[in-house]
Amino acid sequence: MGLQQTLKALADPTRREILNLLKNKRLSAGEITDHFDITAAAISRHLSVLKEADLIWDTRDGKYIYYELNASVLEEIMLWITDLKGE
């Protein structure tokens, strides 16, 4: 995905917090929703934006969908920023 879409996804504090939750383990949408005071539909939309930006992956396990962090996209952003700084 493009850098612009990735940065737009990262601009929202709720989406950044979702990524923070996923840095240690995969979680279901319900488990993610339990950490917030917003509707499941709103969390679903945030997850869609993160998925479209390739920041997360989802896998189905039975009746649940689990989400996990795609750290490779974040590494690409870090490399770009480091290059931009000239280091």
Side-chain angles (χ1 to χ4, degrees), residues 4-16 50 55:
Q4 184 174 345
Q5 189 174 10
T6 302
L7 293 175
K8 182 179 177 184
L10 291 171
D12 184 274
T14 300
R15 290 193 283 268
R16 289 194 307 270
L50 290 169
L55 289 164

Side-chain angles (χ1 to χ4, degrees), residues 22-33:
L22 295 174
K23 72 180 178 185
N24 296 318
K25 62 181 177 179
R26 73 181 194 152
L27 296 169
S28 69
E31 291 170 319
I32 294 168
T33 301

